[in-house]
């Protein structure tokens, strides 16, 4: 395997830059015009560096061999040779200018965010992404969907281990999509290599990026900032679809939101809420409070046989909806629907031997209006 890689590397010097793209240690060439420009610029700079290294180290090696003491060579004694000084200044300057021109052109192209067809706000949370389509009434969270059994080495890891989500970001091909990137809690970074988009998500600031994807496909990335525990559990999946499929997806999202509103008004049984709440718990709560509800001592409290689980259900609901200041407990009021909140609270209050009764979606709705 090592010999094959070495042969591939050596052949890349004389064949094509694309060879390097297939070698896993090189940059990803990507699927957008900008990503191609960045990759080509990267390869130009690489070849310039290689050429400089070959010339400089070649001269050094030649000097060591042919001007060694055993051959009778004697050092020249001179200072401030005019042409050496001129060449030593002009040649590096010319190389820098030659590299700066294409680099500047690429940077200007990267930061041209004008005339976007679609605007999407991307917000980083611990540890999920929120996508708000500013031109449409669509707003959802994208969570890691890799099964816990794979994470805990109890099952064979899938092909896209830790790079799969329950709801991807869907965008149309051939349209300029502008991303407004920020964060809700700590610093994150929204990074999709195939799109050549990597932008920090900082609380209180809005950073911009954009992309135009030419071909439908699934493109994956992840948070590129060390944002805390489970930092590696913040995958990004971009689903690029044709215009017709994208419009169909928009219609399905609107229908789903209407169905969600209707579900919040219906009457739910405790068994129905517990069943639904278990799935919500696994997605949104289990990373901190653990599958057995025992939590992590010193970091995240347990939920088993505690006064909170057996006491006032509304107090429990307030903590889940509004979070708890000064702790790692997030406010899930915006992240989950009324039904999901009622379901996960009811599940927690009746799992692992707890018997705390149920909370309804209507109670959650009233709590949010307080």
């Amino acid at each position: 395997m090592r010999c094959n890689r070495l042969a591939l590397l050596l052949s890349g010097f004389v064949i094509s830059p694309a060879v390097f793209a297939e070698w896993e240690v090189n940059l990803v060439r990507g699927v957008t015009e900008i990503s191609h420009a960045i990759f080509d610029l990267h390869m130009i700079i690489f070849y310039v560096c290689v050429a400089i290294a070959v010339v400089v180290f070649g001269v050094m090696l030649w000097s060591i061999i042919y001007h060694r003491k055993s051959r009778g060579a004697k050092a020249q004694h001179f200072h401030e040779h005019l042409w050496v000084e001129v060449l030593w200044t002009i040649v590096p300057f010319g190389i820098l200018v030659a590299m700066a021109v294409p680099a500047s052109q690429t940077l200007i192209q990267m930061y041209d965010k004008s005339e976007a067809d679609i605007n999407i706000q991307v917000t980083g949370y611990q540890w999920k992404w929120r996508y708000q389509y500013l031109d449409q009434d669509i707003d959802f969270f994208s969570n890691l969907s890799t099964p816990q059994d794979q994470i805990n080495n109890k099952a064979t890891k899938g092909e896209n281990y830790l790079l799969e989500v329950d709801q991807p970001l869907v965008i149309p091909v051939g349209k300029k999509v502008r991303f407004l990137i920020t964060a809700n809690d700590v610093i994150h970074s929204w990074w999709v290599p195939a799109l050549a988009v990597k932008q920090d998500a900082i609380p209180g600031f809005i950073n911009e990026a954009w992309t135009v994807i030419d071909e439908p496909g699934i493109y994956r990335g992840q948070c590129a900032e060390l944002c805390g525990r489970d930092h590696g559990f913040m995958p990004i999946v971009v689903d690029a679809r044709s215009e017709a499929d994208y419009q169909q997806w928009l219609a399905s999202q609107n229908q789903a939101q209407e169905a969600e509103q209707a579900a919040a008004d219906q009457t739910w049984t405790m068994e129905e809420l517990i069943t639904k709440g278990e799935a919500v718990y696994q997605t949104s709560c289990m990373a901190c409070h653990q599958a057995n509800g025992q939590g992590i001592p010193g970091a995240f409290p347990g939920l088993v046989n505690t006064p909170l689980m057996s006491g006032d259900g509304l107090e429990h609901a307030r903590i889940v909806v509004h979070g708890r200041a000064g702790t790692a407990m997030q406010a899930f009021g915006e992240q989950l629907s009324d039904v999901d909140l009622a379901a996960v609270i009811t599940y927690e209050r009746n799992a692992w031997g707890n018997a705390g009764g149920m909370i309804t979606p209507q109670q959650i709705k009233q709590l949010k209006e307080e």
Side-chain angles (χ1 to χ4, degrees), residues 18-205:
V19 173
F20 287 97
E22 297 175 1
W23 209 42
E24 60 187 19
V25 298
N26 201 3
L27 292 179
V28 175
R29 184 170 177 78
V31 296
T32 65
E33 182 180 350
I34 285 292
S35 68
H36 294 169
I38 292 174
F39 182 82
D40 292 341
L41 177 64
H42 158 71
M43 295 310 304
I44 289 173
I45 304 301
F46 173 76
Y47 284 130
V48 170
C49 293
V50 170
I52 292 173
V54 169
V55 171
V56 171
F57 286 103
V59 170
M60 290 175 61
L61 184 62
W62 178 82
S63 299
I64 291 171
I65 294 175
Y66 290 96
H67 296 281
R68 64 184 185 275
K69 185 177 181 180
S70 61
R71 295 192 64 188
K74 294 183 179 179
Q76 293 290 329
H77 297 280
F78 64 88
H79 297 280
E80 299 179 358
H81 189 286
L82 176 61
W83 285 107
V84 170
E85 295 291 340
V86 171
L87 291 175
W88 192 251
T89 303
I90 291 178
V91 171
F93 180 76
I95 293 173
L96 288 175
V97 171
M99 292 192 298
V101 171
S104 300
Q105 292 174 339
T106 303
L107 279 174
I108 292 172
Q109 190 178 2
M110 287 174 61
Y111 283 91
D112 179 15
K113 311 172 192 76
S114 61
E115 300 180 355
D117 298 303
I118 298 172
N119 296 282
I120 299 175
Q121 179 171 321
V122 180
T123 306
Y125 287 72
Q126 290 181 322
W127 290 272
K128 63 199 74 176
W129 296 100
R130 181 182 187 180
Y131 299 115
Q132 296 170 277
Y133 290 64
L134 303 183
D135 308 309
Q136 307 285 339
D137 187 21
I138 294 177
D139 180 356
F140 62 86
F141 283 81
S142 182
N143 299 280
L144 172 74
S145 63
T146 296
Q148 284 293 320
D149 283 348
Q150 291 186 22
I151 295 173
N152 296 326
N153 295 320
K154 296 179 180 178
T156 303
K157 300 184 187 306
E159 179 183 0
N160 296 307
Y161 176 69
L162 295 185
L163 291 176
E164 47 207 344
V165 299
D166 56 356
Q167 194 163 1
L169 172 67
V170 179
I171 60 177
V173 297
K175 293 291 183 66
K176 187 171 185 176
V177 181
R178 183 173 66 140
F179 302 112
L180 305 173
I181 302 173
T182 186
N184 177 264
D185 36 45
V186 298
I187 297 177
H188 303 278
S189 184
W190 201 79
W191 176 44
V192 182
L195 309 185
V197 175
K198 181 178 182 294
Q199 191 62 264
D200 285 343
I202 305 171
F205 292 86

Side-chain angles (χ1 to χ4, degrees), residues 295-318:
I296 300 176
F300 304 106
L303 303 176
V304 181
N305 193 26
T306 65
L308 181 63
M309 294 299 112
S310 57
D312 183 5
L314 289 179
E315 180 57 26
H316 181 187
R318 284 191 184 91

Side-chain angles (χ1 to χ4, degrees), residues 263-277 280 308-321 337-351 355-368 370:
D265 296 329
Q266 76 178 57
T267 301
W268 291 73
T269 66
M270 179 180 288
E271 289 72 21
E272 290 174 331
L273 289 174
I274 290 175
T275 300
K276 184 176 182 60
V280 178
L308 181 63
M309 294 299 112
S310 57
D312 183 5
L314 289 179
E315 180 57 26
H316 181 187
R318 284 191 184 91
I319 294 174
V320 177
V321 171
S337 68
D338 293 350
V339 174
D340 286 343
L341 286 166
V344 74
I345 293 168
T346 300
Y347 171 73
E348 290 175 349
R349 298 180 68 78
N350 294 278
M358 66 181 287
I359 291 293
T360 66
Q362 291 76 21
Q363 288 177 294
I364 296 295
K365 187 175 182 179
Q366 293 174 0
L367 196 61
K368 287 182 175 179
E370 288 180 354

